[in-house]
Amino acid sequence: MRRLLRLGRALEQPRDNIHDFVIIIAIHYKWWETYPSGESMQLNAVKNDVKAWLGHLDYRHDREDQRRFYFLLDFDLVYTDASGKSQLLPRWGRPTKRVILKTLREATIKGGFGFIYYGGHAHFGAPGTSKIEETQSDCVIYKETEDRRRGAKATYLICCDGKRIYGK
């Protein structure tokens, strides 16, 4: 519920801030489960969040401004813009750790003002490792190991390749 309230407040902000670049990172985690609990990690709301942000940012498939859009999605998404044109969003790449970091470097190399949206799992825990295993039933098992000796807890994002991006 809090996430919806924050998204609603953000969408109420004026549109007069023109961004030089927009990076949309959305991870659905289709058929992902945690190990050993088997709890589902699938996030269905990210698809609607992407559409809401694109409407707020006045995204057009045939845009004439200089804004650069980068879509890092682990799913296909058809979007209908304000002109009524429906089209599959052009994906820059899958939101793996390598692709996310490469996209951030490329988008910011010219400087400017940008907007970055991340729709996915963020955890707070001890340093460690993560990995994914695909099963024969198309299920993806997400496993984490913690190493409390390596430092204090930190926030990290979980990429679609199971790797972590830590924040400071």
Side-chain angles (χ1 to χ4, degrees):
M1 185 61 159
R2 285 186 296 175
R3 185 180 70 77
L4 292 176
L5 292 173
R6 284 193 310 266
L7 177 61
R9 280 194 298 264
L11 292 175
E12 292 170 3
Q13 299 300 315
R15 296 183 191 198
D16 53 359
N17 287 337
I18 298 298
H19 305 93
D20 298 307
F21 64 88
V22 175
I23 301 173
I24 305 281
I25 304 166
I27 307 174
H28 184 223
Y29 304 98
K30 187 172 185 179
W31 295 316
W32 279 44
E33 294 178 359
T34 59
Y35 175 84
S37 71
E39 185 178 331
S40 175
M41 292 180 66
Q42 188 165 305
L43 298 175
N44 295 323
V46 294
K47 294 180 179 183
N48 292 327
D49 291 352
V50 170
K51 291 177 182 179
W53 278 115
L54 292 178
H56 178 71
L57 296 167
D58 199 26
Y59 173 81
R60 306 287 174 128
H61 294 293
D62 299 321
R63 66 184 181 280
E64 295 181 16
D65 61 24
Q66 297 300 313
R67 285 187 294 173
R68 299 177 316 274
F69 280 83
Y70 302 88
F71 297 105
L72 305 177
L73 313 171
D74 71 342
F75 54 90
D76 291 330
L77 183 64
V78 175
Y79 176 71
T80 304
D81 65 20
S83 71
K85 183 174 184 179
S86 292
Q87 185 175 314
L88 187 66
L89 289 177
R91 288 196 288 177
W92 180 255
R94 289 184 69 240
T96 63
K97 179 178 181 175
R98 186 183 66 74
V99 170
I100 290 171
L101 295 176
K102 178 183 172 195
T103 304
L104 290 169
R105 280 191 300 275
E106 174 154 333
T108 58
I109 201 161
K110 297 178 185 176
F113 179 69
F115 173 80
I116 301 171
Y117 166 77
Y118 174 78
H121 284 286
H123 289 191
F124 181 73
T129 60
S130 305
K131 69 178 184 175
I132 57 173
E133 296 175 1
E134 295 190 29
T135 67
Q136 303 225 346
S137 62
D138 290 330
C139 184
V140 176
I141 305 298
Y142 174 75
K143 296 181 178 184
E144 289 188 333
T145 58
E146 291 186 343
D147 184 356
R148 297 183 196 285
R149 296 171 293 159
R150 288 185 25 204
K153 288 186 174 186
T155 302
Y156 55 92
L157 307 178
I158 302 173
C159 304
C160 76
D161 57 358
K163 295 185 178 167
R164 300 176 178 188
I165 297 177
Y166 283 91
K168 293 184 180 180

